[in-house]
Amino acid sequence: MRSRLGRRRDRALAVGWLVVAWNLFWGDFSWANLLGGMLVAAAVVLFFPLPPVTFDGRLRLRGLLVFTVRFVGELIRASLHVARIAVQPGYVPRSAIVAVRLRVPTDLNLALTAEVLSLVPGTLIVETDRQAAVLYVHVLDVHGPADLVAARRQVRVVERRIVAAVGSNAELRQVLSVPVDKELS
């Protein structure tokens, strides 16, 4: 009974967010857009159902604050770096794709880590292997093997911050059990 109510609640939330997105896409909150958004959202939820994503974690305010502050700092630093590359005359940056296996192989962790990495300028998720919990990350401005190690370390650090913000106690123990530097060596 509880799982049925949970599924209905999740579908209702999905429809609600899709209606809001529909209205934002049109740029006008009108009755016609509201009705059209409800029809489109109902069709999307009906014909393209998403697999259930379980959340066994807990929200940790300290971890969320650390994540937010560091994320904003990384956004600023990466934006300045990409801007410098864009305006530097004659400079052609080298790129690479690195594969990183996540330590917490849940769908939610995979999705959150991929989203955060994609939001930071200079990195982009090229592919994911859901079964093996591997992210393939495109990295901009690579000078040598040390930069590849640094890119892998950065993915692991982002995963650690996400788990520290919203992960379960078991997941937190899992990411804290081995230091990031020891995993990569």
Side-chain angles (χ1 to χ4, degrees):
M1 181 68 148
R2 174 128 169 90
S3 65
R4 187 181 306 161
L5 289 174
R7 281 188 298 227
R8 286 184 182 166
R9 182 199 66 216
D10 292 345
R11 285 183 184 154
L13 283 170
V15 166
W17 282 111
L18 287 170
V19 169
V20 169
W22 180 264
N23 281 275
L24 289 172
F25 290 147
W26 282 101
D28 180 31
F29 285 92
S30 66
W31 288 108
N33 282 340
L34 183 66
L35 181 62
M38 290 171 79
L39 290 172
V40 169
V44 166
V45 170
L46 180 66
F47 295 118
F48 304 106
L50 293 173
V53 176
T54 58
F55 177 68
D56 296 328
R58 53 182 273 209
L59 188 63
R60 293 180 179 84
L61 265 15
R62 183 177 186 274
L64 192 59
L65 180 65
V66 168
F67 171 80
T68 303
V69 169
R70 297 273 173 97
F71 178 67
V72 169
E74 287 173 10
L75 278 177
I76 293 168
R77 181 194 55 75
S79 297
L80 292 173
H81 182 78
V82 170
R84 182 188 59 79
I85 290 171
V87 298
Q88 190 173 358
Y91 181 72
V92 179
R94 291 179 33 192
S95 299
I97 296 175
V98 295
V100 183
R101 182 178 310 276
L102 299 182
R103 293 164 292 192
V104 178
T106 63
D107 287 343
L108 184 61
N109 184 50
L110 188 73
L112 290 175
T113 304
E115 284 297 322
V116 169
L117 291 170
S118 291
L119 289 173
V120 175
T123 59
L124 181 68
I125 301 301
V126 178
E127 186 177 345
T128 60
D129 183 348
R130 182 177 172 217
Q131 299 300 324
V134 175
L135 293 177
Y136 295 90
V137 184
H138 177 271
V139 183
L140 182 67
D141 200 25
V142 175
H143 298 286
D147 289 339
L148 298 176
V149 171
R152 285 187 184 94
R153 181 180 298 115
Q154 184 60 31
V155 172
R156 293 284 172 83
V157 167
V158 167
E159 179 191 23
R160 180 178 285 186
R161 286 186 202 141
I162 289 171
V163 171
V166 297
S168 69
N169 291 334
E171 292 169 347
L172 188 58
R173 282 191 301 273
Q174 191 174 352
V175 296
L176 294 177
S177 64
V178 179
V180 174
D181 293 333
K182 292 225 184 226
E183 289 178 356
L184 298 174
S185 56

